[in-house]
C-alpha cells in the first residue's frame, strides 16, 4: 500500500505558514544564482526557479520548478491563490481559492519519456478543471511559425471542462483497457515553456472519467503512437533549450477561473521502474 497525503496536513501547513520540514524555501529574485548545494545537474540554465528540497515542502509563489527528493515539480499561476504541497515519495496536494486565474502544478519528472509508465492515485479532488498527465515537447530546429515546434500535451483522467469541444479530432484507441480519443487545438501567442508562443495542444481524452481512490497506470507510449497516427508531429520531449522551463512531464492539477475553493491530493510514481 502506498503512502498518500492527508489534506488536513496540507491545510495545517498552509495555516501555520510552514514551507518545509527542515529546508527553508529559497525563492530566487532578479535571477540570482541558486546556491551550489541546491543546483540540479543538467538544469543549471533554469536556476532562477529550480530548487532542491530533501523534505516535505509547500510552494506558494507564482512560478516555481525544482525537485523534492527525486521528483521534479512545476507550480505556475497567473494570479489568484493556489499552493502545492509535496513530499519526497511523490505524494502531493493542491489547494486553490476561487477567482479569475489559471493554475497548473504537480510532481513528476523534468523530461518526458515516451517509454514511461506513470502510476498515480487521487484520493480526493473537488472539481479541478483537469486531472491529467501533463507535459511539453520542443524542437528549436523547426520554424516558430509552425505550431508543431512546441507542443503542450494532456492525457486526461478527470475533468470538469471538456477540451474536445474546440479541438480537431484525431483517432480513437485503446490503452491499458481504456478507450481514448485524441484531439488537437492551437494556442496563439500564449504563455509556454519558451515564452509567449504559438503552439499545439495534444489531448488524449478517455471515454469515461477515471475513479478516485484507486491506483492507475498511464502507458505513455500508447498516447505518443496515437498522436503520431493522427498525423501530428511529436517534438523532442527531453530538451533543455527552451527559455523558461525544461520539457517536464508531471501528474498535474489544473484549474482555470475556479468558481469556488477546492483541493486535490494524491501520489505519482514510476510504474515501469517497480
Amino acid at each position: 500500500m502506498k503512502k498518500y497525503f492527508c489534506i488536513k496536513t496540507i491545510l495545517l501547513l498552509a495555516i501555520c505558514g510552514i514551507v518545509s520540514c527542515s529546508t527553508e524555501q529559497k525563492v530566487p529574485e532578479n535571477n540570482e544564482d541558486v546556491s551550489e548545494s541546491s543546483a540540479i545537474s543538467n538544469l543549471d540554465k533554469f536556476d532562477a526557479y529550480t530548487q532542491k528540497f530533501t523534505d516535505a515542502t509547500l510552494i506558494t509563489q507564482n512560478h516555481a520548478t525544482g525537485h523534492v527528493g527525486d521528483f521534479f515539480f512545476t507550480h505556475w499561476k497567473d494570479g489568484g491563490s493556489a499552493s502545492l504541497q509535496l513530499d519526497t515519495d511523490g505524494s502531493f496536494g493542491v489547494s486553490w481559492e476561487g477567482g479569475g486565474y489559471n493554475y497548473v502544478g504537480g510532481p513528476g519528472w523534468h523530461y518526458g519519456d515516451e517509454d514511461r509508465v506513470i502510476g498515480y492515485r487521487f484520493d480526493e479532488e473537488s472539481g479541478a478543471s483537469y486531472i491529467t498527465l501533463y507535459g511539453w515537447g520542443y524542437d528549436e530546429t523547426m520554424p516558430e511559425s509552425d505550431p508543431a515546434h512546441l507542443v503542450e500535451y494532456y492525457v486526461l483522467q478527470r475533468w470538469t471542462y471538456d477540451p474536445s469541444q474546440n479541438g480537431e479530432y484525431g483517432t480513437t484507441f485503446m490503452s491499458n483497457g481504456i478507450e481514448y480519443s485524441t484531439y488537437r487545438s492551437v494556442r496563439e501567442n500564449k504563455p509556454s515553456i519558451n515564452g509567449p508562443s504559438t503552439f499545439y495542444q495534444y489531448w488524449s481524452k478517455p471515454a469515461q472519467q477515471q475513479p478516485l481512490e484507486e491506483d492507475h497506470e498511464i502507458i505513455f507510449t500508447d498516447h505518443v503512437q496515437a498522436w503520431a497516427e493522427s498525423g501530428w508531429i511529436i517534438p523532442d520531449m527531453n530538451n533543455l533549450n527552451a527559455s523558461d522551463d525544461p520539457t517536464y512531464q508531471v501528474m498535474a492539477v489544473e484549474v482555470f477561473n475556479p468558481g469556488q475553493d477546492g483541493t486535490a491530493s494524491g501520489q505519482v510514481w514510476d510504474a515501469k521502474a517497480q
Side-chain angles (χ1 to χ4, degrees):
M1 178 66 67
K2 293 185 176 294
K3 174 185 174 184
Y4 305 109
F5 247 12
C6 174
I7 194 64
K8 292 181 179 179
T9 302
I10 299 167
L11 296 176
L12 178 61
L13 289 170
I15 291 170
C16 295
I18 298 172
V19 171
S20 174
C21 293
S22 63
T23 305
E24 181 180 359
Q25 181 186 22
K26 176 177 171 56
V27 182
E29 298 179 353
N30 300 322
N31 292 331
E32 68 179 358
D33 290 336
V34 175
S35 66
E36 183 70 20
S37 62
S38 65
I40 299 174
S41 177
N42 300 324
L43 295 175
D44 289 347
K45 174 180 178 180
F46 306 106
D47 64 3
Y49 298 110
T50 299
Q51 305 152 88
K52 177 75 172 180
F53 300 99
T54 58
D55 298 291
T57 302
L58 179 67
I59 306 295
T60 59
Q61 67 262 40
N62 283 352
H63 182 189
T65 58
H67 283 77
V68 175
D70 294 330
F71 288 93
F72 179 85
F73 70 86
T74 184
H75 170 85
W76 181 91
K77 58 186 175 182
D78 59 9
S81 179
S83 61
L84 174 64
Q85 176 72 36
L86 303 125
D87 208 341
T88 56
D89 65 352
S91 299
F92 68 106
V94 176
S95 177
W96 64 88
E97 295 182 359
Y101 66 99
N102 183 40
Y103 169 79
V104 60
W109 301 268
H110 72 260
Y111 65 96
D113 183 346
E114 294 187 8
D115 294 326
R116 184 173 286 135
V117 179
I118 298 90
Y120 82 89
R121 175 185 177 108
F122 272 81
D123 285 319
E124 59 89 32
E125 69 96 0
S126 53
S129 300
Y130 304 127
I131 300 295
T132 183
L133 181 68
Y134 172 71
W136 292 84
Y138 174 56
D139 187 346
E140 74 276 12
T141 67
M142 296 176 63
E144 293 185 4
S145 59
D146 185 343
H149 85 286
L150 182 64
V151 169
E152 182 182 36
Y153 60 85
Y154 294 76
V155 179
L156 292 181
Q157 303 295 290
R158 297 176 62 85
W159 63 92
T160 57
Y161 178 80
D162 183 357
S164 66
Q165 59 187 310
N166 296 314
E168 167 196 357
Y169 171 75
T171 189
T172 296
F173 67 103
M174 297 294 295
S175 177
N176 200 27
I178 301 169
E179 180 183 286
Y180 287 88
S181 295
T182 65
Y183 299 89
R184 184 176 71 174
S185 51
V186 65
R187 299 276 285 169
E188 296 184 0
N189 196 32
K190 297 298 183 181
S192 77
I193 63 169
N194 201 41
S197 301
T198 296
F199 54 90
Y200 279 131
Q201 292 176 319
Y202 295 171
W203 304 86
S204 288
K205 177 189 170 187
Q208 296 180 334
Q209 307 222 24
Q210 300 306 293
L212 300 173
E213 299 182 336
E214 293 183 12
D215 290 1
H216 300 278
E217 290 187 357
I218 298 172
I219 303 173
F220 187 55
T221 188
D222 291 346
H223 300 273
V224 173
Q225 290 175 2
W227 297 334
E229 290 170 3
S230 300
W232 305 340
I233 295 172
I234 311 298
D236 187 0
M237 297 180 185
N238 187 4
N239 187 335
L240 297 181
N241 292 327
S243 62
D244 294 351
D245 285 311
T247 50
Y248 54 77
Q249 182 177 73
V250 299
M251 200 68 208
V253 176
E254 181 167 351
V255 294
F256 50 88
N257 300 326
Q260 58 187 10
D261 298 357
T263 56
S265 63
Q267 187 176 18
V268 66
W269 60 90
D270 186 340
K272 190 174 182 179
Q274 296 182 349

